[in-house]
Amino acid sequence: MENVQDKYRKVLVESLVLDDDVAVEAQVREILDKHFDENNNVDVWKQCFHSIDLTTLNSTDTVQSVTRFVQRVNDFETDYPQLPNVAAICTYPNFAMVVSGTLEVSEVGTAVVAGSFPSSQTFVEVKTAETALAVADGATEVDIVFNLGLYYDEQYEELADEIAEIKHACRDARLKVILETGALKKAADIKNAAILSMWSGADFIKTSTGKVYPGATLEAAYVMCQCIKEYHKKTGRKVGFKVSGGVSTTDDAVRYYTLVKEILGDEWLTNEWFRIGTSRAANVILSSILGKETKHF
């Protein structure tokens, strides 16, 4: 009888996703050289804006500041009726009720970071409780951090069980697993983390917390998108991709959009499957769309 731990090792070994760092870098360069310019236009900028998880994750956040933050998203509908709104508002879990209670735009989600963000270093019972409390307060999306400690100890079964337990605590909310690619660094480790997360029930895989380690890289995004493509081919289940940490310009957003388009196809180019986590880039991309400097958020 197959050992459960061996099952996960088998899945990792069987993956054919490219994980040589030099080769990955070359593939990214080739895709962007061929396709960046054709995607650098106002329609793509609008889609990138529509894919934003507008984020405030500050130690100084308060009920009043988060309420004002949400109100700017509400006001966007009136101020810019010709443009699509952001995809979601992302806060710490204790503000889920503030966001869900203040938000007046039905198509914008209430996202939270949970599970002892950004370290993921606490008891699994704490992680599931925090997740469940946030969902009870109105969170429709939950972003957690991949347990790097369990990964480096090769405790794959325990790692997968933890993600699955948190997924169960999400109920109907979507679960995004943050790989923290700036800590993993190597393409091979990023690939492994992506595969383990998806096989454990992640609805999205996300690059970074943007807190302690370096943020997203195009190379990490390439590997993750290839893993999503392979997983979808094997299982028929779609998993979303979210880039976060370091997306600060319109060009940055278009580069990630281009990788998603060329690897996963147009099917993934909606905010149901593609997200950009940022606190900075919303005004920058909005300014590109409008052709003038704009500071709405």
Side-chain angles (χ1 to χ4, degrees):
M1 186 174 177
E2 183 182 35
N3 182 281
V4 176
Q5 189 80 347
D6 291 339
K7 180 185 78 171
Y8 291 110
R9 294 182 190 279
K10 184 170 181 282
V11 170
L12 297 179
V13 169
E14 288 179 347
S15 173
L16 299 177
V17 170
L18 183 68
D19 61 5
D20 176 87
D21 291 297
V22 175
V24 167
E25 186 177 351
Q27 287 293 309
V28 169
R29 189 164 54 247
E30 181 178 344
I31 290 172
L32 294 179
D33 286 348
K34 285 183 179 178
H35 300 287
F36 174 81
D37 288 342
E38 69 194 50
N39 292 318
N40 196 19
N41 59 67
V42 69
D43 287 336
V44 170
W45 301 341
K46 287 179 181 178
Q47 186 54 53
C48 288
F49 182 83
H50 193 36
S51 299
I52 287 175
D53 283 358
L54 192 67
T55 303
T56 179
L57 296 172
N58 303 308
S59 299
T60 53
D61 286 342
T62 65
V63 169
Q64 289 77 18
S65 70
V66 172
T67 300
R68 290 192 299 269
F69 192 73
V70 177
Q71 192 57 49
R72 289 197 286 274
V73 174
N74 292 337
D75 292 343
F76 187 85
E77 294 284 286
T78 303
D79 295 348
Y80 303 98
Q82 76 281 19
L83 296 178
N85 213 321
V86 297
I89 297 169
C90 185
T91 65
Y92 283 112
N94 49 306
F95 294 113
M97 186 176 289
V98 177
V99 176
S100 62
T102 307
L103 192 58
E104 298 169 357
V105 188
S106 59
E107 66 269 23
V108 176
T110 298
V112 299
V113 294
S116 191
F117 177 94
S119 69
S120 193
Q121 296 284 20
T122 191
F123 304 102
V124 66
E125 293 85 357
V126 173
K127 296 180 182 183
T128 55
E130 187 177 47
T131 299
L133 287 166
V135 171
D137 279 354
T140 58
E141 304 175 7
V142 178
D143 295 27
I144 65 163
V145 182
F146 183 80
N147 193 320
L148 293 168
L150 292 178
Y151 173 72
Y152 284 123
D153 273 351
E154 298 186 8
Q155 296 298 312
Y156 301 145
E157 182 183 358
E158 188 176 348
L159 172 55
D161 286 348
E162 178 177 285
I163 294 172
E165 285 186 46
I166 298 171
K167 169 66 177 170
H168 180 73
C170 283
R171 291 182 284 179
D172 293 330
R174 299 178 85 188
L175 178 65
K176 307 191 195 93
V177 177
I178 308 166
L179 306 188
E180 198 66 296
T181 56
L184 291 167
K185 298 179 183 176
K186 294 180 180 179
D189 286 319
I190 293 167
K191 179 177 83 169
N192 288 347
I195 292 168
L196 289 168
S197 297
M198 290 187 291
W199 283 97
S200 304
D203 298 303
F204 262 76
I205 51 174
K206 172 180 170 182
T207 58
S208 322
T209 63
K211 289 294 182 183
V212 179
Y213 297 96
T217 66
L218 294 162
E219 291 74 22
Y222 174 90
V223 173
M224 292 167 67
C225 287
Q226 291 288 2
C227 288
I228 291 170
K229 183 178 181 178
E230 182 182 69
Y231 177 79
H232 180 249
K233 186 175 180 179
K234 286 183 176 181
T235 68
R237 189 172 81 91
K238 291 177 74 173
V239 173
F241 169 72
K242 179 175 174 179
V243 57
S244 185
V247 180
S248 57
T249 69
T250 303
D251 281 0
D252 288 340
V254 173
R255 289 185 185 101
Y256 288 105
Y257 174 100
T258 299
L259 289 180
V260 172
K261 181 178 181 179
E262 293 307 313
I263 297 168
L264 294 170
D266 291 346
E267 209 179 331
W268 262 263
L269 294 176
T270 71
N271 68 11
E272 185 178 4
W273 303 110
F274 173 51
R275 295 290 180 85
I276 300 169
T278 185
S279 57
R280 294 178 291 171
N283 283 329
V284 175
I285 297 172
L286 182 59
S287 297
S288 296
I289 294 167
L290 299 173
K292 61 180 180 180
E293 186 176 7
T294 306
K295 295 183 178 179
H296 178 83
F297 297 103

Short mmCIF file of all heavy atoms in Angstrom, two decimals, residues 52-74:
data_model
loop_
_atom_site.label_atom_id
_atom_site.label_comp_id
_atom_site.label_asym_id
_atom_site.label_seq_id
_atom_site.Cartn_x
_atom_site.Cartn_y
_atom_site.Cartn_z
N ILE A 52 -7.06 43.87 -9.62
CA ILE A 52 -6.33 44.26 -8.42
C ILE A 52 -7.05 43.85 -7.14
O ILE A 52 -8.25 44.06 -6.98
CB ILE A 52 -6.10 45.79 -8.41
CG1 ILE A 52 -5.04 46.19 -9.44
CG2 ILE A 52 -5.70 46.29 -7.02
CD1 ILE A 52 -4.83 47.68 -9.57
N ASP A 53 -6.29 43.23 -6.22
CA ASP A 53 -6.70 43.11 -4.82
C ASP A 53 -6.11 44.32 -4.10
O ASP A 53 -4.91 44.34 -3.77
CB ASP A 53 -6.15 41.81 -4.20
CG ASP A 53 -6.93 40.57 -4.62
OD1 ASP A 53 -7.92 40.71 -5.36
OD2 ASP A 53 -6.52 39.47 -4.24
N LEU A 54 -6.93 45.33 -3.90
CA LEU A 54 -6.47 46.58 -3.29
C LEU A 54 -6.18 46.32 -1.81
O LEU A 54 -7.07 45.89 -1.07
CB LEU A 54 -7.53 47.65 -3.47
CG LEU A 54 -7.13 49.08 -3.15
CD1 LEU A 54 -6.09 49.59 -4.15
CD2 LEU A 54 -8.36 49.99 -3.17
N THR A 55 -4.96 46.57 -1.39
CA THR A 55 -4.47 46.03 -0.13
C THR A 55 -4.05 47.10 0.86
O THR A 55 -3.34 48.04 0.51
CB THR A 55 -3.27 45.10 -0.41
OG1 THR A 55 -3.68 44.09 -1.33
CG2 THR A 55 -2.76 44.47 0.86
N THR A 56 -4.47 46.94 2.11
CA THR A 56 -3.91 47.71 3.20
C THR A 56 -3.58 46.74 4.33
O THR A 56 -4.45 46.12 4.92
CB THR A 56 -4.86 48.84 3.69
OG1 THR A 56 -4.23 49.53 4.79
CG2 THR A 56 -6.23 48.34 4.10
N LEU A 57 -2.28 46.60 4.60
CA LEU A 57 -1.79 45.66 5.63
C LEU A 57 -0.75 46.39 6.47
O LEU A 57 0.43 46.05 6.46
CB LEU A 57 -1.20 44.41 4.98
CG LEU A 57 -2.16 43.53 4.18
CD1 LEU A 57 -1.40 42.43 3.45
CD2 LEU A 57 -3.23 42.93 5.09
N ASN A 58 -1.21 47.37 7.21
CA ASN A 58 -0.33 48.17 8.04
C ASN A 58 -0.61 47.94 9.52
O ASN A 58 -1.76 47.71 9.90
CB ASN A 58 -0.53 49.67 7.73
CG ASN A 58 -0.31 49.99 6.28
OD1 ASN A 58 0.71 49.64 5.70
ND2 ASN A 58 -1.29 50.65 5.65
N SER A 59 0.43 48.02 10.33
CA SER A 59 0.24 47.90 11.78
C SER A 59 -0.60 49.05 12.32
O SER A 59 -1.19 48.94 13.40
CB SER A 59 1.60 47.88 12.49
OG SER A 59 2.36 46.78 12.07
N THR A 60 -0.67 50.14 11.56
CA THR A 60 -1.41 51.32 12.01
C THR A 60 -2.84 51.36 11.47
O THR A 60 -3.55 52.34 11.69
CB THR A 60 -0.67 52.59 11.55
OG1 THR A 60 -0.44 52.51 10.13
CG2 THR A 60 0.66 52.74 12.26
N ASP A 61 -3.28 50.31 10.77
CA ASP A 61 -4.66 50.28 10.29
C ASP A 61 -5.63 50.37 11.46
O ASP A 61 -5.42 49.76 12.52
CB ASP A 61 -4.93 48.98 9.52
CG ASP A 61 -4.28 48.95 8.15
OD1 ASP A 61 -3.92 50.02 7.64
OD2 ASP A 61 -4.14 47.84 7.58
N THR A 62 -6.70 51.10 11.27
CA THR A 62 -7.75 51.24 12.28
C THR A 62 -9.10 51.02 11.61
O THR A 62 -9.20 50.99 10.39
CB THR A 62 -7.74 52.64 12.90
OG1 THR A 62 -8.09 53.60 11.87
CG2 THR A 62 -6.37 53.02 13.46
N VAL A 63 -10.13 50.90 12.43
CA VAL A 63 -11.49 50.79 11.87
C VAL A 63 -11.79 51.99 10.99
O VAL A 63 -12.34 51.85 9.89
CB VAL A 63 -12.53 50.66 13.01
CG1 VAL A 63 -13.94 50.80 12.46
CG2 VAL A 63 -12.37 49.33 13.74
N GLN A 64 -11.39 53.17 11.46
CA GLN A 64 -11.67 54.39 10.69
C GLN A 64 -10.89 54.42 9.38
O GLN A 64 -11.44 54.77 8.33
CB GLN A 64 -11.33 55.64 11.53
CG GLN A 64 -12.27 55.90 12.69
CD GLN A 64 -12.01 54.98 13.89
OE1 GLN A 64 -10.94 54.36 13.99
NE2 GLN A 64 -12.99 54.89 14.78
N SER A 65 -9.61 54.05 9.43
CA SER A 65 -8.80 54.12 8.20
C SER A 65 -9.25 53.08 7.18
O SER A 65 -9.29 53.34 5.97
CB SER A 65 -7.31 53.95 8.51
OG SER A 65 -7.01 52.62 8.92
N VAL A 66 -9.62 51.88 7.65
CA VAL A 66 -10.10 50.84 6.74
C VAL A 66 -11.46 51.23 6.16
O VAL A 66 -11.73 51.01 4.98
CB VAL A 66 -10.16 49.48 7.45
CG1 VAL A 66 -10.84 48.44 6.56
CG2 VAL A 66 -8.75 49.01 7.83
N THR A 67 -12.31 51.82 6.97
CA THR A 67 -13.60 52.30 6.48
C THR A 67 -13.42 53.33 5.36
O THR A 67 -14.09 53.27 4.32
CB THR A 67 -14.43 52.93 7.62
OG1 THR A 67 -14.65 51.93 8.62
CG2 THR A 67 -15.76 53.45 7.11
N ARG A 68 -12.49 54.26 5.56
CA ARG A 68 -12.21 55.26 4.51
C ARG A 68 -11.66 54.59 3.26
O ARG A 68 -11.98 54.97 2.13
CB ARG A 68 -11.22 56.31 5.03
CG ARG A 68 -11.80 57.25 6.08
CD ARG A 68 -10.88 58.44 6.32
NE ARG A 68 -9.57 58.04 6.83
CZ ARG A 68 -9.28 57.94 8.13
NH1 ARG A 68 -10.22 58.18 9.04
NH2 ARG A 68 -8.06 57.58 8.51
N PHE A 69 -10.82 53.60 3.46
CA PHE A 69 -10.21 52.84 2.36
C PHE A 69 -11.31 52.18 1.51
O PHE A 69 -11.30 52.26 0.27
CB PHE A 69 -9.28 51.78 2.95
CG PHE A 69 -8.37 51.08 1.98
CD1 PHE A 69 -7.28 51.74 1.44
CD2 PHE A 69 -8.59 49.76 1.63
CE1 PHE A 69 -6.42 51.09 0.56
CE2 PHE A 69 -7.74 49.10 0.75
CZ PHE A 69 -6.65 49.77 0.22
N VAL A 70 -12.27 51.55 2.18
CA VAL A 70 -13.37 50.90 1.47
C VAL A 70 -14.26 51.92 0.78
O VAL A 70 -14.73 51.71 -0.34
CB VAL A 70 -14.21 50.04 2.45
CG1 VAL A 70 -15.41 49.42 1.74
CG2 VAL A 70 -13.35 48.97 3.09
N GLN A 71 -14.45 53.05 1.43
CA GLN A 71 -15.32 54.08 0.86
C GLN A 71 -14.78 54.60 -0.47
O GLN A 71 -15.54 54.95 -1.37
CB GLN A 71 -15.51 55.24 1.85
CG GLN A 71 -16.61 56.20 1.45
CD GLN A 71 -17.96 55.52 1.27
OE1 GLN A 71 -18.41 54.75 2.12
NE2 GLN A 71 -18.61 55.76 0.13
N ARG A 72 -13.45 54.62 -0.61
CA ARG A 72 -12.87 55.06 -1.88
C ARG A 72 -13.22 54.09 -3.01
O ARG A 72 -13.37 54.49 -4.16
CB ARG A 72 -11.36 55.23 -1.74
CG ARG A 72 -10.97 56.43 -0.88
CD ARG A 72 -9.52 56.83 -1.06
NE ARG A 72 -8.60 55.92 -0.42
CZ ARG A 72 -8.21 56.01 0.86
NH1 ARG A 72 -8.71 56.96 1.63
NH2 ARG A 72 -7.35 55.15 1.36
N VAL A 73 -13.32 52.80 -2.66
CA VAL A 73 -13.76 51.82 -3.65
C VAL A 73 -15.23 52.03 -3.99
O VAL A 73 -15.64 51.96 -5.15
CB VAL A 73 -13.51 50.38 -3.14
CG1 VAL A 73 -14.10 49.35 -4.10
CG2 VAL A 73 -12.02 50.14 -2.95
N ASN A 74 -16.05 52.31 -2.98
CA ASN A 74 -17.46 52.63 -3.23
C ASN A 74 -17.58 53.86 -4.13
O ASN A 74 -18.37 53.87 -5.09
CB ASN A 74 -18.19 52.91 -1.91
CG ASN A 74 -18.35 51.68 -1.03
OD1 ASN A 74 -18.31 50.55 -1.52
ND2 ASN A 74 -18.53 51.89 0.26
#
